[in-house]
Amino acid sequence: MKKQIGVSVSRRGFVAGSAAVAAGSLGFPTIGGAQPAPVKVGFIHPVTGFVAYNGQQARLGVAMAVDDVNKAGGIKSMGGAKIEPLLGDSQSKVEVGVAEVEKMNEQGVAAYIGCYQSPVGIAASQAAAKYNTPFLIDVGASDLIVNRGLKNVFRLKPGFGVCVDQGIAALGALNTAAGGVAKSAVIVHESGEFGTGTAKLLGGKLPSIGIQVKELIAHDNPTRNFDNIALRIRSLAPEIVMMSNYQNEYVLLARTLFQQKVNLAGMFSVLGGGFNYKFIKEMPDVSQFMMDTNHWFNPKSAKAQALKKRVEDGGNLFTFEVYLAYTNVAFLADSLERAGSADKEKLLAALASSTFKAELMPYGPTQFVNGQNQGARAAVMQSLKGDIEVIAPEEFASAKAVFPKPKFS
Amino acid sequence: MLDPAIIFAGVLNGLLAGGIYVLVAVGLTLIYGVLHIINFAHGSLLMLAMYAVFFLWRLLGIDPYVALPLVIGGAFIFGFVLYRLLIGRFSHGRDENILLLTLGVSIVVDNAALLFFGGDTETIAVPYAGTFVELGAAFLPLPKIISFVASVLLCAGLGIYMAKSDTGKAIRALAKERHGARLVGIDVDKLFAVSYGIGIACLGAAACLLMPTFYVTPSSGYAFVLVAFTIVVLGGMGSFTGAAVGGFLIGVTESLGGLFLGEQLGQIGISLIFILILLFKPTGLFGGGR
């Protein structure tokens, strides 16, 4: 029997049926027709562990994209070859991510897509480099990912360098417009590669917009309690708190600062792990006026809006993991189409020369330099009245920013 | 040098955090004291209790503090039944089997939670979340004050129950001398299950007190259970008083360590005080010479 991934698949159902997905619509040839061999693609995400939700969201995007590609006739230049997903769980562990690469290599994958966390992506793509297998980073912010001279690594999305530059520029413009109300900042970041790297970049660049960094505060994952950090922030009295952490700690920190009534001109994050619809809808008071520079879909793209509706109709949230994973599958399918083969050299050449139009994203023209898409850019958003509004770049803006935010009475 | 007012606020924050640690640790030490096993499922069962609190709020609109008796009762029954039907039945009286069984329970519960609840972060937004009490430099959120007071009262209540009630006395007798307790007619198997149930009920209470200020994911129980293990050893394994004192001590140490050394290095303070105490008193603060 042929099992299809539903168009509006629920996340829970998806996780439960992960194995079925791998063996489902995506791979079985119909009886009587000479079907070309499917193109095996390895998807490695943390579907268990402390960022399991993010990994599951990425898988949701993968499932929808693979389904769409296959339903649309597969890779036409390869005789309609279907994409066959091999699903791997990194468990948020570097060594497990690498082991998944090795396992999938044995099964003959043509390419990998993953891994959500930068350290896992760095190690897994290095492992894939041994076999000259393309590795597409759907989510993974560290710029080290594309700065190692590896020819098999491609990142369509912006890294934290670009996101920090954009965020700093936006914050600088807001502050100037507000008469330079913000003069100092405290940066709170998770202690891994993502948070530390982003914090260092922020710390180096904030003075260029007239904001001095009073302190960088690192925390572990998980952190049980942010009371002391709130206390420290209160004693330092910065106008801005910048956050760079994963979902749980992002939400906990925001809630603690709200509960402790820490008065700030603004809370600003770059790649804030918890800035999403769920947080904004469930905690509108806590999230009100918080700003984030992050991956965001192009709100003016009809295709993005249609995908958003499909995802939400399935009872899921349209988070960046979903549309970035979806876009990367489409990008890989486009490259396979142009390569006309799953041969690794041909596929690598097609990826490197790609001008793929990422319709869902607010990106400029695609052009890869050392594996990084030069057209990639983030959006700056603000939580306003229980919704997420884009406040920059201006051509995608859906609302005017509120800065500084009103003080607690 | 830090302002004394900030240090004072740090101590208060530590005490508030310690209140929750005490509840989790008391449950753990009670189970150890009676059953002589480390309950590896402690973190998973705490997580399960937190989901129970979350769903009571989400589906029925029951405030986490109002849910206290319900969740404590439910957790007790769950622990009692879990011991009767699984742990007690299949351990065949061997401690190593109990260890493996509780480890197995934790794996099953963790993965079942991931399957049924998803990996997303779930929180409870109580209307009084933003209310706080200002005490010098300290801004103490009302939910944390309620949690602290409730935790102290619950621990005191449990302490009195263990000291005065027949069941409490029987549990203490059982903890001291298993065979002697059986000889004087105490239903040992039932009391094992009751003790396990009380230990899990403590987790139910901790879950209610945690949820207004924390979150739940399938792995969130582990954030507290590791520190609870430290407290149990520090206070003296099986010692009720040790768990209570150790909980507050670790809470304050963690808080001050964070203030003086930074949030990451601050965790060293816990290890340092742990090593120091065990160096001078290897059985822990209130541990006997078992």
Side-chain angles (χ1 to χ4, degrees), chain A residues 107-359:
Chain A
Q107 296 173 68
V109 293
Y112 299 92
I113 294 180
C115 293
Y116 186 70
Q117 291 148 301
S118 294
V120 183
I122 288 168
S125 56
Q126 184 99 35
K130 285 189 298 186
Y131 309 110
N132 203 29
T133 308
F135 203 113
L136 277 59
I137 301 289
D138 56 351
V139 180
S142 172
D143 286 330
L144 188 61
I145 289 171
V146 288
N147 287 345
R148 295 168 295 163
L150 295 178
K151 302 294 180 201
N152 68 317
V153 181
F154 298 89
R155 187 167 66 181
L156 196 66
K157 66 177 268 297
F160 55 39
V162 169
C163 294
V164 164
D165 285 345
Q166 267 189 263
I168 291 285
L171 182 59
L174 283 173
N175 199 28
T176 303
V181 65
K183 294 186 171 30
S184 63
V186 165
I187 302 172
V188 184
H189 66 91
E190 64 93 27
S191 54
E193 165 69 17
F194 152 61
T196 306
T198 309
K200 276 184 188 162
L201 284 172
L202 285 169
K205 292 185 175 179
L206 277 168
S208 68
I209 55 167
I211 296 176
Q212 300 308 312
V213 178
K214 286 191 167 176
E215 195 163 308
L216 269 77
I217 302 175
H219 65 78
D220 287 330
N221 299 309
T223 287
R224 288 182 291 274
N225 193 330
F226 278 100
D227 285 344
N228 270 341
I229 290 182
L231 198 60
R232 184 82 189 134
I233 291 170
R234 187 192 297 283
S235 72
L236 291 166
E239 289 78 30
I240 303 283
V241 165
M242 303 202 78
M243 305 151 70
S244 192
N245 30 29
Y246 292 117
Q247 171 148 328
N248 295 342
E249 282 66 34
Y250 184 94
V251 172
L252 199 56
L253 174 60
R255 186 157 73 169
T256 304
L257 292 178
F258 174 78
Q259 285 179 331
Q260 299 227 7
K261 298 281 185 281
V262 178
N263 266 317
L264 299 161
M267 288 170 73
F268 198 95
S269 53
V270 173
L271 300 169
F275 193 90
N276 55 40
Y277 280 122
K278 183 178 169 64
F279 171 54
I280 272 77
K281 301 277 183 207
E282 289 184 356
M283 296 190 182
D285 294 340
V286 174
S287 66
Q288 176 78 326
F289 307 122
M290 285 179 72
M291 289 178 276
D292 185 38
T293 305
N294 215 323
H295 313 296
W296 199 249
F297 63 93
N298 177 0
K300 295 180 178 173
S301 158
K303 198 169 177 182
Q305 292 294 352
L307 184 67
K308 181 171 183 279
K309 187 173 182 315
R310 278 172 63 194
V311 170
E312 290 175 347
D313 285 349
N316 298 295
L317 289 170
F318 195 50
T319 59
F320 67 80
E321 298 91 350
V322 178
Y323 47 80
L324 284 177
Y326 187 98
T327 299
N328 272 272
V329 174
F331 168 46
L332 179 66
D334 176 77
S335 299
L336 282 164
E337 197 71 75
R338 289 191 302 106
S341 160
D343 174 79
K344 288 175 181 173
E345 285 298 342
K346 286 181 183 168
L347 183 54
L348 283 170
L351 287 162
S353 62
S354 178
T355 55
F356 170 72
K357 185 167 169 48
E359 287 177 75

Side-chain angles (χ1 to χ4, degrees), chain A residues 12 47-48 53 56 191 218 220 224-225 227-228 234 247-249 252 255 259-261 278 282-283, chain B residues 17 21 58 114-116 119-124 129-130 132 139 144 213-215 223 254-255 263-264:
Chain A
R12 189 175 303 156
V47 292
T48 58
Y53 175 71
Q56 289 168 6
S191 54
D220 287 330
R224 288 182 291 274
N225 193 330
D227 285 344
N228 270 341
R234 187 192 297 283
Q247 171 148 328
N248 295 342
E249 282 66 34
L252 199 56
R255 186 157 73 169
Q259 285 179 331
Q260 299 227 7
K261 298 281 185 281
K278 183 178 169 64
E282 289 184 356
M283 296 190 182
Chain B
Y21 297 168
R58 167 68 65 85
L114 193 60
L115 178 65
F116 292 112
D120 202 1
T121 307
E122 303 292 0
T123 52
I124 288 177
F132 65 93
F139 283 69
K144 292 204 171 177
T213 54
F214 203 64
Y215 59 82
E254 181 183 47
S255 180
E263 208 52 37
Q264 269 193 299

Side-chain angles (χ1 to χ4, degrees), chain B residues 6-190:
Chain B
I6 298 287
I7 296 172
F8 171 69
V11 171
L12 287 182
N13 281 342
L15 287 173
L16 294 190
I20 297 293
Y21 297 168
V22 168
L23 264 182
V24 181
V26 159
L28 195 61
T29 208
L30 188 73
I31 291 171
Y32 175 81
V34 178
L35 299 172
H36 300 175
I37 55 125
I38 299 294
N39 180 28
F40 279 118
H42 218 61
S44 306
L45 296 178
L46 173 62
M47 172 269 293
L48 212 55
M50 287 163 84
Y51 270 113
V53 177
F54 170 73
F55 283 114
L56 281 171
W57 172 80
R58 167 68 65 85
L59 302 176
L60 303 174
I62 300 177
D63 184 279
Y65 299 126
V66 177
L68 257 170
L70 203 62
V71 178
I72 290 175
F76 173 80
I77 293 167
F78 186 84
F80 185 91
V81 172
L82 185 67
Y83 188 87
R84 277 284 199 184
L85 295 186
L86 190 76
I87 299 171
R89 179 172 294 182
F90 295 107
S91 64
H92 303 296
R94 294 170 67 96
D95 290 353
E96 60 270 30
N97 287 352
I98 302 181
L99 283 176
L100 288 173
L101 277 163
T102 56
L103 188 63
V105 167
S106 84
I107 293 169
V108 171
V109 168
D110 287 355
N111 286 285
L114 193 60
L115 178 65
F116 292 112
F117 308 142
D120 202 1
T121 307
E122 303 292 0
T123 52
I124 288 177
V126 289
Y128 45 84
T131 311
F132 65 93
V133 173
E134 194 174 347
L135 210 65
F139 283 69
L140 307 175
L142 184 63
K144 292 204 171 177
I145 297 174
I146 296 174
S147 296
F148 173 79
V149 173
S151 173
V152 170
L153 290 177
L154 283 167
C155 284
L158 183 59
I160 293 167
Y161 178 78
M162 295 299 282
K164 305 285 182 193
S165 73
D166 287 346
T167 307
K169 285 175 188 168
I171 288 174
R172 281 165 46 224
L174 181 59
K176 276 195 188 304
E177 180 48 62
R178 191 178 293 192
H179 298 298
R182 199 186 292 273
L183 282 173
V184 296
I186 291 173
D187 185 344
V188 171
D189 292 333
K190 185 181 167 191

